[in-house]
Amino acid sequence: MLTLWVPHSYPACSQHAPNEHLLQSVAQEALQLMAGMLWDLTEQGASVCRQREKHSATATVA
């Protein structure tokens, strides 16, 4: 299974610390990025899966 990591932070955010915070501009950019990525996945995801399955079926085992 593939995993895609998309961080939504910046170095000074103190991620997981008691004073953790997120800038509004970073949150807005992250929402736009994720909405676009999910939109693309719904439009192209099935095609990408078919191509991966086709490739893995034709790949030779070492």
Side-chain angles (χ1 to χ4, degrees):
M1 169 177 267
L2 285 175
T3 301
L4 178 63
W5 177 257
V6 183
H8 297 117
S9 64
Y10 63 104
C13 75
S14 301
Q15 194 170 28
H16 305 302
N19 62 340
E20 178 179 14
H21 63 282
L22 179 63
L23 297 175
Q24 182 177 354
S25 61
V26 174
Q28 184 176 0
E29 183 180 2
L31 286 169
Q32 291 171 339
L33 179 121
M34 293 306 297
M37 188 175 77
L38 291 172
W39 183 276
D40 290 345
L41 283 172
T42 59
E43 295 226 331
Q44 302 170 17
S47 174
V48 170
C49 286
R50 283 192 299 273
Q51 289 175 5
R52 289 181 56 83
E53 289 170 357
K54 183 178 169 183
H55 176 73
S56 64
T58 59
T60 58
V61 177

